[in-house]
């Protein structure tokens, strides 16, 4: 069994995800948009099937967060045919398709009880790659403030989640900066690793 993987994409996917969790989302998934060309395998339809099955099991719907930020809903959907095929296979209800705006995204729709799919070109791709590679769990974390969290609290929340799941699965944790070209992701990933290693999270 591989490690639990934590995706860090501060601007904006993992910050959007943290805000969604704050706003009552029951699960977060990440998926690759159709135009992404990562050097590893991704399977957005497979991610969407997992998300759709969970939504159906919990009798809830799906919220999709996608790019570009400034575009119509149809423009965003047009880049997500893999995700849409997967959701169609499950029959899961799509409740909204929203822009990837970080913490502000949750002001656009009620996330309570919903399953989030963040289909974005950096964090979504990284999540999808880890999921497709067979990681036992893929999570997100951020250092950016949300509507409910500020200071070190967002990073600590992500660290606590990672440690709890890793303990449940009896595995290690790998923290992934979503882009090597984004210094904020690299520095945030280092900070989150330190939070995970902090004595407060051992036990």
């Amino acid at each position: 069994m591989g490690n639990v993987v934590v995706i860090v994409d501060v601007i904006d996917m993992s910050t959007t995800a943290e805000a969604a969790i704050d706003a009552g989302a029951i699960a977060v998934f990440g998926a690759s948009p159709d135009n992404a060309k990562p050097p590893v395998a991704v399977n957005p339809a497979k991610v969407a099937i997992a998300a759709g099955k969970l939504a159906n099991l919990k009798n809830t719907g799906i919220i999709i967060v996608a790019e570009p930020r400034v575009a119509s809903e149809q423009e965003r959907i047009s880049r997500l045919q893999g995700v849409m095929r997967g959701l169609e296979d499950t029959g899961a209800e799509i409740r909204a398709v929203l822009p990837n705006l970080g913490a502000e995204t949750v002001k656009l729709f009620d996330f309570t009880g919903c399953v989030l799919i963040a289909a974005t070109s950096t964090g979504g791709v990284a999540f999808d790659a880890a999921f497709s590679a067979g990681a036992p769990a893929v999570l997100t974390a951020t250092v950016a403030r949300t509507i409910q969290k500020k200071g070190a609290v967002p990073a600590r929340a992500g660290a606590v989640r990672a440690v709890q799941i890793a303990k449940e699965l009896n595995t290690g944790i790998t923290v992934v900066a979503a882009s090597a070209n984004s210094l904020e992701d690299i520095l945030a990933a280092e900070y989150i690793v330190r939070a995970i290693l902090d004595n407060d999270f051992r036990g």
Side-chain angles (χ1 to χ4, degrees), residues 9 11 27 41 54 63 65 90 92 115 122 126-127 130 146 150 162 180-181 183 188 192 197:
D9 178 11
I11 307 172
L54 177 61
I63 296 174
V65 168
T90 68
V115 173
T122 305
F127 190 112
T146 66
K150 62 183 179 179
N181 295 318
L183 185 59
I192 290 163
L197 295 175

Side-chain angles (χ1 to χ4, degrees), residues 2-153:
N3 284 352
V4 169
V5 176
V6 180
I7 304 299
V8 181
D9 178 11
V10 177
I11 307 172
D12 287 302
M13 180 267 195
S14 64
T15 302
T16 299
E18 194 68 34
I21 292 167
D22 287 352
I26 62 170
V28 170
F29 292 82
S32 175
D34 300 334
N35 60 350
K37 304 296 181 187
V40 294
V42 292
N43 191 337
K46 182 179 178 181
V47 173
I49 288 169
K53 286 181 176 178
L54 177 61
N56 290 340
L57 179 66
K58 298 295 186 180
N59 194 30
T60 188
I62 298 284
I63 296 174
I64 299 173
V65 168
E67 296 157 343
R69 293 179 181 89
V70 180
S72 68
E73 178 176 307
Q74 193 53 47
E75 285 178 274
R76 294 188 189 101
I77 290 174
S78 70
R79 301 177 182 216
L80 305 176
Q81 293 310 298
V83 169
M84 301 306 289
R85 283 194 304 273
L87 292 178
E88 184 177 347
D89 285 349
T90 68
E93 175 193 5
I94 300 172
R95 294 190 176 171
V97 180
L98 306 174
N100 181 32
L101 302 175
E104 298 295 305
T105 304
V106 298
K107 294 181 179 180
L108 302 176
F109 197 81
D110 183 3
F111 280 69
T112 305
C114 289
V115 173
L116 171 67
I117 300 176
T120 67
S121 59
T122 305
V125 171
F127 190 112
D128 194 327
F131 186 93
S132 298
V138 188
L139 310 174
T140 59
T142 188
V143 297
R145 66 183 178 182
T146 66
I147 293 170
Q148 294 187 19
K149 299 187 184 91
K150 62 183 179 179
V153 175

Side-chain angles (χ1 to χ4, degrees), residues 162-189:
V163 169
Q164 288 175 339
I165 295 297
K167 285 180 177 179
E168 289 173 9
L169 297 175
N170 193 28
T171 186
I173 301 170
T174 299
V175 179
V176 176
S179 174
N181 295 318
S182 298
L183 185 59
E184 68 272 14
D185 291 349
I186 296 168
L187 294 175

